[in-house]
Amino acid sequence: MSEQPTTVFTVADGVARIEWVPELHDEGLSAAVEVVRREVEAALVAHPRVEALVAPDDELAQRVATWSGLRREGVMRGVTVEGEPVDRIVYARLVTDAPAHEPDGFRALLNSFLPRKRAISQMLLRDPDERVLLCQLTYKQDWDLPGGVVEVGESPQLAVAREVEEELGLEIAAGGLLLTDWLPPWGGWDDALCLVFDGGTHDAAILDRIVKQAREIRSAEFCTLEEVEKRCADFTARRIRAALEQLADGGGRTSAYTESGI
């Protein structure tokens, strides 16, 4: 290799950035990792943080960055490279990070790049006439079951009770899980798992107790299945039907898993 394989330079107070030439990958993954790892360790002597910016389509460079002990932090969009705006994945190691060869450090390294799938928890509430409680939302035309996104580190079962209380002002503990429905990427959203929990049967007068969160909820009504079909997106209607079938079977279906309600 005719040129210096790595370059380390200071980009801000206490922050060093490491770059390496593509030809370093010709030496093989292990050899490339060893070179970059040594340079990162040396840079940490004078800098609390060492980072690397890697192209999203350069999978080998991403592997080198990872196994050199740099944790994936996210995507920096619109970085100017040779006069053009491009995206770059940010990898970094702090001097306080546990080394990757230690258990805590290895787990943190894996956790930085392993997939994290979005989870949505919803609650299936019915009235004695077997109508389903639906919410008319402010941010989309379709109606949907009450619920929302599960926060990081939050129990999905507790999350749906929290969402129902925040959106409708109702304190209802979530029952058992009725359905796990996978939602493929759609309308600009990434894919997600939707978990539908049993919310029990309630007198229709519960509607009078609802205190709508105005930012998200326009109205809430108990709806027949015919109304569900008219008001909901097709995949939401299928999900509700599948959850009701699971409930009718007493949880005895072979599988309580669907994809887009099927």
Side-chain angles (χ1 to χ4, degrees):
M1 191 179 304
S2 58
E3 59 181 310
Q4 183 69 21
T6 63
T7 304
V8 179
F9 51 97
T10 300
V11 294
D13 187 23
V15 180
R17 183 171 298 164
I18 183 169
E19 296 178 351
W20 57 92
V21 297
E23 290 76 14
L24 181 61
H25 301 159
D26 297 339
E27 305 296 322
L29 178 62
S30 296
V33 165
E34 182 59 23
V35 170
V36 175
R37 185 193 62 78
R38 286 200 309 265
E39 293 297 329
V40 169
E41 293 280 358
L44 284 172
V45 174
H47 301 84
R49 172 185 171 91
V50 179
E51 64 183 26
L53 305 183
V54 180
D57 60 354
D58 193 341
E59 295 184 4
L60 186 52
Q62 293 171 38
R63 294 175 66 191
V64 171
T66 296
W67 300 120
S68 299
L70 300 168
R71 301 182 190 179
R72 176 172 172 146
E73 294 185 338
V75 177
M76 185 183 295
R77 300 181 299 154
V79 179
T80 300
V81 176
E82 298 180 353
E84 295 292 331
V86 296
D87 293 347
R88 287 293 182 261
I89 302 174
V90 181
Y91 290 85
R93 181 176 168 189
L94 306 183
V95 71
T96 54
D97 288 342
H101 64 268
E102 296 181 1
D104 287 350
F106 185 67
R107 286 192 292 267
L109 187 69
L110 292 180
N111 196 49
S112 75
F113 71 86
L114 288 175
R116 299 185 183 187
K117 194 173 295 293
R118 181 176 295 115
I120 300 168
S121 284
Q122 295 186 326
M123 189 177 288
L124 185 71
L125 298 117
R126 290 90 56 208
D127 71 359
D129 295 325
E130 290 302 312
R131 296 182 299 174
V132 175
L133 183 66
L134 291 181
C135 294
Q136 183 184 26
L137 306 173
T138 60
Y139 51 88
K140 64 179 182 179
Q141 294 183 340
D142 303 325
W143 293 52
D144 210 339
L145 294 172
V149 175
V150 181
E151 300 293 343
V152 176
E154 183 180 32
S155 153
Q157 192 170 34
L158 295 179
V160 71
R162 172 185 56 75
E163 286 283 349
V164 168
E165 183 175 2
E166 290 176 358
E167 294 181 349
L168 302 177
L170 300 175
E171 294 186 19
I172 300 174
L177 178 65
L178 296 175
L179 183 72
T180 299
D181 184 33
W182 178 69
L183 304 177
W186 176 83
W189 290 100
D190 292 339
D191 72 322
L193 288 175
C194 185
L195 309 175
V196 182
F197 290 90
D198 184 8
T201 300
H202 305 265
D203 192 282
I206 196 175
L207 295 177
D208 298 331
R209 292 166 39 202
I210 287 178
V211 179
K212 299 187 298 293
Q213 184 187 64
R215 182 168 51 85
E216 295 188 26
I217 308 296
R218 284 199 178 96
S219 62
E221 299 178 19
F222 280 108
C223 299
T224 65
L225 277 179
E226 182 178 354
E227 291 170 325
V228 167
E229 298 286 350
K230 291 179 179 178
R231 297 181 178 186
C232 297
D234 55 358
F235 55 86
T236 301
R238 291 194 298 267
R239 183 189 316 130
I240 291 173
R241 284 189 175 276
L244 287 170
E245 289 173 8
Q246 175 69 11
L247 189 66
D249 288 349
R253 291 178 60 190
T254 303
S255 173
Y257 172 78
T258 57
E259 295 190 354
S260 196
I262 300 174

